[in-house]
Amino acid sequence: KVAVIAHDFAVKAGSWGRLTCEKQIRILERADRDLLPVVYLVDSAGGRLTEQLGFFTDRRGASRIFQLQVALSGRVPQICCLHGPSAAGGAYMPAFTDWVGMVEGNASMYLASPRVAEKVTGELTTLEEMGGAVMHASVSGCGDEVFGSDWEAIAAARLLLSYLPDNWQERPQDATPAQPARQDWEGAIPADESAGYDIRDVVDRL
């Protein structure tokens, strides 16, 4: 059993209003009560400006969503499939999760659009450069994996959840251990503690 939050881009570009916040808060409170993993399917234009007062000032506004995400952190897995934009305040939601899978060419995460950046700073940029999937997976670190389609991101999320316990009180499922890909440890970790090394070389030996 998992709790799922999904944004429907076909309805007002998946933007958040007062009731959007309330629905997300309710499912997160249920996840908190029952210790359910949370899956976020994000495709949202962010806060609905026509409902700005209800969006920001209420005790059950967007800030309550983020408060619950932080409270759930370390207690249950929080997994995000980023299918489209996550703009403005909605960009915080993926940032607070344990894993973010982004769909290349569609997914983006940003606080303000390139158009706003140009108006404010005069800098010309593209959405892909500013908050696209490849940038977040290779530069900012907010994206963990990049996928070619929505279904691939969801399949990866399901696979990841199969490895994880449902909550902090449970242990991961037992699995047959695999033999290390490499046996030699010579040079895997440098003697100089301040020198960098590729952690994948260590993982291969484990």
Side-chain angles (χ1 to χ4, degrees):
K1 293 181 180 180
V2 298
V4 178
I5 289 176
H7 304 129
D8 184 357
F9 201 77
V11 179
K12 297 186 178 181
S15 59
W16 293 14
R18 183 176 59 84
L19 291 178
T20 317
C21 293
E22 177 62 28
K23 287 189 278 187
Q24 293 179 105
I25 289 166
R26 286 181 186 176
I27 195 68
L28 289 172
E29 287 175 338
R30 178 68 181 266
D32 185 53
R33 186 191 79 187
D34 296 345
L35 290 179
L36 299 172
V38 185
V39 176
Y40 303 84
L41 305 176
V42 178
D43 195 351
S44 170
R48 196 173 301 149
L49 297 182
T50 54
E51 295 187 32
Q52 188 169 11
L53 291 176
F55 186 74
F56 290 113
T57 60
D58 199 298
R59 286 184 181 180
R60 294 181 74 78
S63 62
R64 176 67 176 149
I65 294 171
F66 309 137
Q67 181 186 26
L68 284 163
Q69 282 192 277
V70 171
L72 286 166
S73 181
R75 299 178 65 230
V76 299
Q78 296 186 79
I79 305 298
C80 175
C81 295
L82 194 46
H83 300 291
S86 58
Y92 300 140
M93 177 176 277
F96 286 142
T97 62
D98 301 309
W99 177 89
V100 179
M102 300 181 73
V103 178
E104 187 172 6
N106 288 338
S108 58
M109 190 187 322
Y110 54 90
L111 296 182
S113 69
R115 189 172 54 190
V116 172
E118 181 185 353
K119 293 289 185 189
V120 174
T121 67
E123 182 179 349
L124 289 172
T125 184
T126 67
L127 184 57
E128 200 61 36
E129 290 172 335
M130 191 165 145
V134 173
M135 188 285 289
H136 279 304
S138 60
V139 179
S140 78
C142 286
D144 293 291
E145 291 187 70
V146 177
F147 300 95
S149 64
D150 290 340
W151 74 265
E152 289 175 296
I154 293 171
R158 291 181 65 157
L159 180 63
L160 176 59
L161 281 170
S162 74
Y163 298 139
L164 300 173
D166 287 344
N167 60 69
W168 69 279
Q169 295 175 329
E170 297 180 4
R171 291 185 53 81
Q173 292 185 18
D174 291 336
T176 305
Q179 291 298 315
R182 300 177 64 177
Q183 302 287 341
D184 61 306
W185 282 90
E186 186 66 35
I189 301 175
D192 181 359
E193 293 181 1
S194 64
Y197 59 95
D198 191 336
I199 190 63
R200 290 172 295 189
D201 290 337
V202 176
V203 173
D204 284 345
R205 290 164 170 80
L206 296 174

